[in-house]
Amino acid sequence: MFSTIVTDTFILPESTDLSEAEETEIETIRQHKQGLLEDIKKLKEEIAEVFAEIERFQNAERQEADNNPGEQNRQVE
């Protein structure tokens, strides 16, 4: 059997002693892995968005506290 290894730059044929069922299972695993990697990428992007939103919220709070220093003291008391 021949299978194919895909690299970043080109495709290499690979000679294996795997059965067709094993080759199919490996391809299914590769596809699942690719799907998981895509999910991880999306989650990282979503996490980055959440952190940016938190930072914007904290900056707005700081700016409000800087603009109203007496208000902050009244809330603490």
Side-chain angles (χ1 to χ4, degrees), residues 33-43:
K33 176 185 173 185
Q34 187 61 36
L36 291 172
L37 291 172
E38 290 170 9
D39 289 345
I40 290 168
K41 181 180 177 184
K42 289 176 189 175
L43 288 170

Side-chain angles (χ1 to χ4, degrees), residues 14-44:
E14 180 184 291
S15 175
T16 66
D17 294 329
L18 300 176
S19 69
E20 188 172 329
E22 291 168 327
E23 291 283 346
T24 302
E25 187 169 348
I26 288 174
E27 182 58 32
T28 301
I29 291 168
R30 285 184 180 136
Q31 289 173 356
H32 183 67
K33 176 185 173 185
Q34 187 61 36
L36 291 172
L37 291 172
E38 290 170 9
D39 289 345
I40 290 168
K41 181 180 177 184
K42 289 176 189 175
L43 288 170
K44 285 181 177 180

Side-chain angles (χ1 to χ4, degrees), residues 54-71:
I54 289 169
E55 188 172 337
R56 284 191 301 272
F57 179 75
Q58 289 173 335
N59 288 338
E61 279 188 330
R62 281 189 211 108
Q63 187 175 17
E64 185 177 326
D66 290 345
N67 291 338
N68 302 314
E71 184 69 26

Side-chain angles (χ1 to χ4, degrees), residues 3-4 10-11 13-14 16 18 25-26 30 35 43 47-49 51 53 59 65 72-73 76:
S3 65
T4 305
F10 51 90
I11 300 174
E14 180 184 291
T16 66
L18 300 176
E25 187 169 348
I26 288 174
R30 285 184 180 136
L43 288 170
I47 289 168
E49 289 175 18
F51 275 108
E53 189 174 332
N59 288 338
Q72 186 179 19
N73 290 337
V76 173

